[in-house]
């Protein structure tokens, strides 16, 4: 059986403008790999409601799971929750369960639970809350879409909260072999190797360091024995260059 598939939707003008460097995709990719879910696509969209809605609907239909980051805070441009509700034809308003979590949190900290902070309790009716042990304001899941904060520490905590709910497949294993020859020299044999081991993904990542041309060859697969055989075949193909 093949592993479940996933896509990520990164939401925010600050990403597209270059003001903020996204760290969440890197973290999610690693955690999904460990869990046996294959991340197949990542999209970045601006804080534009129609664009978010279109992307959510397309990704939800195309993949087993969708993970979003960004746009669920207290400010006027945090529109992700409303877009998710519209994408699935759901109703959205302040939910008592989310409201109670936030009210208790701000009361404990002696801060006003004002209208802006109450916006973070606006959750689609059909959603399941995602726990946020960092700052309490919850994420949520609607169907196969898991909606999480953009702040990296909160995003990571929400990923940890939601992954145990999801059925994964076989974790992806990998081996990296450095070959000190240019890609033009190794492309043909690598192609032959890929054809011989179709269940193993073989990627070539070239480098140039201190006058030496080479490539890091990364082999990936879910079958440990197949991966071992492919790695051995690779080193035997280039015995003088690995």
């Amino acid at each position: 059986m093949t592993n479940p598939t996933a896509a990520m939707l990164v939401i925010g003008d600050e990403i597209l403008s270059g003001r903020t460097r996204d760290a969440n995709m890197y973290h999610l990719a690693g955690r999904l790999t460990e869990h046996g879910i294959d991340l197949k696509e990542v999209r970045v969209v601006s804080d534009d409601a129609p664009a978010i809605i279109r992307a959510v609907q397309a990704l939800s239909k195309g993949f087993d799971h969708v993970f979003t980051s960004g746009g669920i805070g207290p400010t006027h441009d945090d529109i992700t929750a409303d877009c998710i509700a519209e994408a699935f034809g759901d109703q959205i308003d302040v939910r008592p369960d989310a409201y109670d979590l936030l009210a208790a949190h701000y009361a404990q900290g002696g801060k006003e639970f004002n209208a802006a902070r109450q916006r973070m309790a606006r959750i689609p009716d059909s959603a399941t809350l995602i726990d946020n042990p960092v700052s309490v304001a919850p994420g949520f899941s609607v169907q196969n879409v898991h909606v999480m904060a953009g702040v990296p520490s909160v995003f990571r905590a929400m990923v940890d909260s939601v992954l145990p709910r999801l059925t994964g497949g076989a974790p992806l294993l990998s081996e990296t072999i450095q070959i000190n020859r240019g890609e033009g020299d190794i492309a043909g044999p690598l192609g032959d190797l890929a054809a011989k081991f179709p269940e193993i993904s073989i990627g070539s990542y070239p480098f140039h360091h201190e006058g030496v041309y080479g490539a890091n060859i990364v082999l990936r697969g879910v079958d440990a024995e197949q991966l071992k055989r492919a790695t051995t075949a690779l080193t035997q193909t280039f015995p003088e260059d690995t």
Side-chain angles (χ1 to χ4, degrees), residues 81-103:
D82 292 274
C83 293
I84 298 295
E86 185 167 344
F88 291 107
D90 205 351
Q91 297 296 313
I92 185 170
D93 206 338
V94 172
R95 278 251 302 254
D97 49 359
Y99 183 95
D100 291 346
L101 284 171
L102 287 160

Side-chain angles (χ1 to χ4, degrees), residues 154-185:
V154 181
F155 180 85
R156 292 193 295 268
M158 289 184 174
V159 169
D160 289 343
S161 295
V162 78
L163 275 183
R165 303 180 190 172
L166 309 181
T167 300
L172 188 65
L173 308 173
S174 69
E175 291 285 350
T176 300
I177 302 296
Q178 179 177 310
I179 298 178
N180 296 314
R181 294 178 65 176
E183 279 195 305
D185 293 328

